[in-house]
Amino acid sequence: MFCDFDLHMPDRLDDALSVLTDEKGMPMAGGTNLLVDMRSRKETPASVIALGNVGELRGIHFNDERTTIGSRTTVSDLLQSTELVSSSPSLVEAAAVFAGQMVRNAATVGGNIACASPAADLVPPLLSLDAELMLVSASGSRTVPLADYYQGYKRNIRGKDELITQISWARLPENSVNMFYKLARRKGDAITIVGVAVTLSISNGICRKARIALGAVAPYVLRARESERRLEGQVISEELLCAAASQAARECCPIDDVRASATYRRHVVKALVGRLLSQSWNRLV
Amino acid sequence: MIYGGPSDETAPNVKRWQVGKPLPRIDAAGKAFGSTPYAGDHVMPGMLHMCIVRANIASAKLRFLDVAKARALEGVVEILTAEDLPIAEVAPGSPDRDGTERPNTGPPILAGERIRYFGEPIALIAAETRDIAERARQLVEFDLEPLAGVYDPLEAMKPGAPIVQGNDNIVAVRNIRKGDAANRLEDADYVVENTFWTPFQEHAFLEPEAGLAWTDENDVINIRVCTQDIAHFRAIADAIGVPHNKVRVRGALVGGGFGGKEDCTLEKFLAVMVRKTRCPVRLEYSREDSFVGHGKRHPLILRYKTGVGKDGKISGLDVEIVADSGAYLFLSPYVLLYAAVASSGPYRIDNLNVRARAVATNNMYTSAFRGYGSMQACAAYEQQMDEVARVLEMDPIEFRRLNYLQTGEPISTGFVPPSAIWTEQCVDRAWKAMGGPVNSTQEHIKIGRGIAAYQQSYGRLSFLGDTSEAWVGVELDGTVIVRSGVADIGAGQISALCQITAEILGVALEDVVIYSSDSAVTPLAGRTAATRTLYMTGNATKQAAEAIRARLVRRAAQEFGVAPDEIDLVEGKVLARAQPDNCMSIGALAEICETEGICRSELAMFHPQLQDFLDPETGQGQAHPDYVYGAHAAEVSVDTETGEVCVLRSIGVHDVGQCINRAAVEGQIEGGAQNGQGFALSEEMLYEEGRLVTPSLSEYLMPTSMDMPRVESIILESRSGIGPFGAKGIGEPAITPVAPAIANAIANAIGVRVFQMPITPERIVNALEERDKRRRTMTAR
Ligand SMILES: Cc1cc2nc3c(=O)[nH]c(=O)nc-3n(C[C@H](O)[C@H](O)[C@H](O)COP(=O)(O)OP(=O)(O)OC[C@H]3O[C@@H](n4cnc5c(N)ncnc54)[C@H](O)[C@@H]3O)c2cc1C
């Protein structure tokens, strides 16, 4: 079943980092991805560093400017926080349609980001919130925008000795709407066919900020930057939103797989981006 | 004993002591608390662990197979290939008294030279640990030369297609002819023609196949396995060349069967290995093994051509069915027959022409699955009924009402079912339960409703012959033992037998213990399939209990000095009805019987009369003992932009004849609603050149609890069935009408029909786009 591996269960972040040095070591948070991949032998780590006992990595914190969550915060934790509903609604919406209850109890935000799946459901919301990651190794730490984290299919800039420790983002500007929609073949425990998160900030009828993040339609979760550019600084109209939706559909590059065809995915991107943008607009006027 | 007349009330029948009540099933607590041992929980000291080497190309020639390296691995005890087996070709474990010629297309235990499907077993490994067996599997060397394969039954019927079985790949043909369909279609006011596609379906029981085999002190090979049919011991004995009494199959409570454990699964693998090694051997499938390790539901292509008058009466029906039987025959001829017999549904169709063929391909073989061909036929005929109603511009229910088969009228094969036909009551109750219309508040969401009625047989094919035995005995303290070889596959089969026994003998359900599913020590009861267990074994158990009751009553009457018909058995006591003080415990009465040599036990056999074969030309005759009728209604919302479907209401209405355990009946209806919803909407086995590309539960999408609405069960009791107390059955009927009800609801919501299941969001979007394209070209003209 599994390959042979050494199991480390550190209590403190420092201890975790001190064993996360060699190429063949892998951190494990909830294990809902890693254990599945180890069982199918897609992953054969020589050592597994279980983060379950590292308490300092778990928690949700707010201050006047930013929301910060520890990487080991579980998807269920996100659903327990009332403050998160107002500060980051898209993330809570994604958590509510994430997997099923059992997986939500184990799965973590850090694991979802680190697995680098194009279908990772928390990533479009976090991109739509301009989230940043803190990467820490035994020799130091750095902060990188989530938007720069992914390099290709299941590829990212994380060094083998680094852990994602926290994720943070600034409060949304006034007059903003932030939402997420997951389209899948069933409601529980389903891999996303298309995930869309949008942030729309409007004042005086003009779009001040637009974020459109698309899941499962490219090698990694994508921001539809052209589409965003079309909106920002413009007077919002139904036609503009429609054009932005069409543009988003052009920007994605989906594939055919067992769940859906590329053509269908593109069709849905247009429909959902259009729908989420106009729902956001309706809420703001 | 009179148990009251027909009732379509949904309240439990209070006149009975036990039967009809929603009692906690005898197997419930153990399953809820996790203490029930399943087949996979049994282990033995010194046992070996098995694994299977499978072919990874669907159509190929096995050019070479070398197990030397694997054998050399420390801890590997034995590796068997086709060459090592005593008997290479083994007939399938299916009944063969079907009156039709068919090619010998039984699968070998291990493939020799010719590989016909992806995953076909080519070697068996036994090792000291699972891990070693697994590692040995990686060391087996083999070379497969790909051969031209065929993966579409329509292609497989064409001249020049690669041959998988027989001379032309056609492995079974079933025809039904009555009246003059061709001419009635010719002169009909309207002719409506449509083709429907139904998909493969995986049983996906919670418990993948598992078993343990060992040799006992009598040199008998014992196999502890999860199975729907312990009578496979005979086929297993034949396969390894030992007498039938040298193989004993001991079942366990089964974690779901649905037809997937009706054929032999891993029994023969265990048997050949235990015989060779003389050590206990254990084999357990992973979920991935299970996906490639047992047959699937037959995909069917059904072309319907219905002739109908302006008055809404169906004048003629022509049906053509093509079933994909996959690489081996298994139960295909029977599944095909069920589909053909069912193809006219619960309607009076005097002019009928059905041509059905099962075709071999290099896809995974197909066999039994809940509903067994009838369910696929229902998916087609109930969609067709809605399509015909649409052409007539009639309400779908009113159109059906003009054509319902009524009690006492003959079905497609000319046979008149002995029981009541309550289709109309069921449809009307379902629609009434739906209530007033609901409107969508969002423009892109459309809400629709659909209904489907059905006819589903219960009991085995009448020309195959069927028997079932049960033994009942009363202990000296008044408790009761039942012995019967039934396999309980999770639907409450054994609990129902206990409840029947408790009813007849006037004891509580807790006072009855049952021993089941052992081919050597429990009287054989036949397979748990074909919605036959309650009908067959329920009747046998009731007969046995009644025989004991008669003796007890006679003796008690003598004791109390009253006539036997004045004696009651109630709450563990025997009493004279007119003088309730004249009373003793059933245990005390049993003690008297014991002393006087009055037998306290009885072995009974139930067997319906064996019937002739159906007419090979016209298919006329008696196919089954009787039929269940009912309906399912569904309400859905459809997102017209994304094609997403949400099932909002799911209502099953069935005339089950008589509930034995109301809660268990509801459980079946709820499970059927889930099983059928998956078939209609999301479950999809995608094969590429015969290779399954959705081999896990993250790709094969059964509805989860989050996808299910609350299922509403409405149970009608005509008390007209030929099972115990007038019972019919519910195991298969519960799924049969679900998928077409959902399909009709979707078509009702969006105004177009998707003819291919599962009705995925993508297919819905495509159908809507095509309609819009048609509309545009029409306006352009
Ligand atoms: C039944 C089921 C349903 C699922 N449904 C969904 C769904 O609806 N949506 C969805 O997005 N996903 C889903 N998943 C996938 C999975 O649950 C998520 O991706 C989850 O967020 C992974 O988190 P984890 O804590 O379990 O990660 P793990 O499995 O522990 O780790 C995943 C990867 O991240 C790495 N990693 C973990 N933590 C860190 C860290 N702090 N720093 C650096 N690397 C780290 C690990 O080494 C590993 O490579 C599902 C999985 C299952 C089994």
Side-chain angles (χ1 to χ4, degrees), chain A residues 29-48:
Chain A
T32 59
N33 254 323
L34 185 59
L35 293 176
V36 176
D37 287 347
M38 285 171 64
R39 184 177 174 276
S40 67
R41 303 243 168 186
K42 261 187 234 154
E43 296 286 0
T44 51
S47 65
V48 169

Side-chain angles (χ1 to χ4, degrees), chain A residues 181 186-187 261 264 267 275, chain B residues 639 641-642 702 707 762:
Chain A
Y181 190 86
R186 68 177 175 198
K187 292 207 188 94
S261 72
Y264 171 75
H267 166 90
R275 185 184 298 173
Chain B
D639 184 324
E641 291 171 354
T642 63
M702 304 158 75
D707 296 276
E762 182 157 3

Side-chain angles (χ1 to χ4, degrees), chain A residues 1 39 99-101 181-189 191 258-261 264 267-268 271-272 275 279, chain B residues 131 286 288 444 639 641-642 644 646 682 684 686 693-694 697 701-702 704 706-707 760-762 765 769:
Chain A
M1 229 181 157
R39 184 177 174 276
Q101 187 62 53
Y181 190 86
K182 165 173 174 163
L183 183 127
R185 289 272 297 267
R186 68 177 175 198
K187 292 207 188 94
D189 279 327
I191 301 176
V258 296
R259 287 175 283 281
S261 72
Y264 171 75
H267 166 90
V268 169
L272 289 179
R275 185 184 298 173
Q279 284 173 357
Chain B
D131 200 46
S286 65
E288 291 80 358
H444 61 274
D639 184 324
E641 291 171 354
T642 63
E644 289 161 282
C646 181
S682 57
E684 200 167 24
L686 295 173
V693 294
T694 52
L697 294 178
L701 302 174
M702 304 158 75
T704 68
M706 287 167 277
D707 296 276
T760 61
E762 182 157 3
V765 165
E769 277 184 353

Side-chain angles (χ1 to χ4, degrees), chain B residues 298-524:
Chain B
H298 289 73
L300 260 54
I301 304 167
L302 306 107
R303 192 185 53 69
Y304 269 70
K305 207 168 156 184
T306 310
V308 61
K310 288 204 177 84
D311 59 357
K313 292 248 168 68
I314 297 171
S315 53
L317 176 64
D318 186 88
V319 183
E320 195 175 329
I321 299 174
V322 175
D324 186 346
S325 108
Y328 290 101
L329 190 68
F330 285 87
L331 296 166
S332 293
Y334 305 108
V335 174
L336 190 71
L337 179 58
Y338 272 61
V341 169
S343 61
S344 56
Y347 303 105
R348 190 175 50 238
I349 295 175
D350 298 327
N351 300 289
L352 177 66
N353 189 15
V354 184
R355 293 175 312 289
R357 282 165 291 180
V359 185
T361 65
N362 292 108
N363 289 326
M364 183 63 190
Y365 65 86
T366 46
S367 197
F369 197 137
R370 189 182 199 180
Y372 208 83
S374 307
M375 176 268 196
Q376 293 97 309
C378 182
Y381 63 71
E382 281 303 87
Q383 294 195 75
Q384 175 74 352
M385 287 303 277
D386 266 32
E387 286 299 302
V388 177
R390 191 172 58 80
V391 170
L392 290 170
E393 296 181 354
M394 275 182 86
D395 175 80
I397 292 182
E398 294 315 313
F399 168 57
R400 283 175 173 79
R401 201 183 303 285
L402 295 170
N403 292 286
Y404 288 134
L405 196 70
Q406 304 290 343
T407 305
E409 290 183 340
I411 67 158
S412 59
T413 66
F415 168 71
V416 177
S419 69
I421 299 178
W422 276 15
T423 315
E424 188 165 7
Q425 286 92 322
C426 292
V427 167
D428 290 348
R429 287 291 289 266
W431 211 246
K432 195 170 142 215
M434 206 48 114
V438 180
N439 290 321
S440 167
T441 52
Q442 286 164 288
E443 210 191 324
H444 61 274
I445 302 285
K446 304 276 182 239
I447 292 178
R449 287 175 172 182
I451 188 98
Y454 71 90
Q455 165 185 293
Q456 175 79 47
S457 57
Y458 63 104
R460 198 175 185 211
L461 286 165
S462 298
F463 53 79
L464 292 176
D466 199 6
T467 63
S468 188
E469 293 181 28
W471 180 98
V472 178
V474 178
E475 258 317 311
L476 299 186
D477 62 353
T479 59
V480 178
I481 290 174
V482 179
R483 293 196 199 119
S484 180
V486 294
D488 189 304
I489 60 171
Q493 281 90 1
I494 55 171
S495 193
L497 299 180
C498 292
Q499 211 166 332
I500 290 166
T501 307
E503 171 79 33
I504 303 286
L505 293 176
V507 298
L509 184 56
E510 305 81 74
D511 291 331
V512 186
V513 162
I514 185 165
Y515 292 87
S516 62
S517 205
D518 185 325
S519 71
V521 305
T522 55
L524 294 182

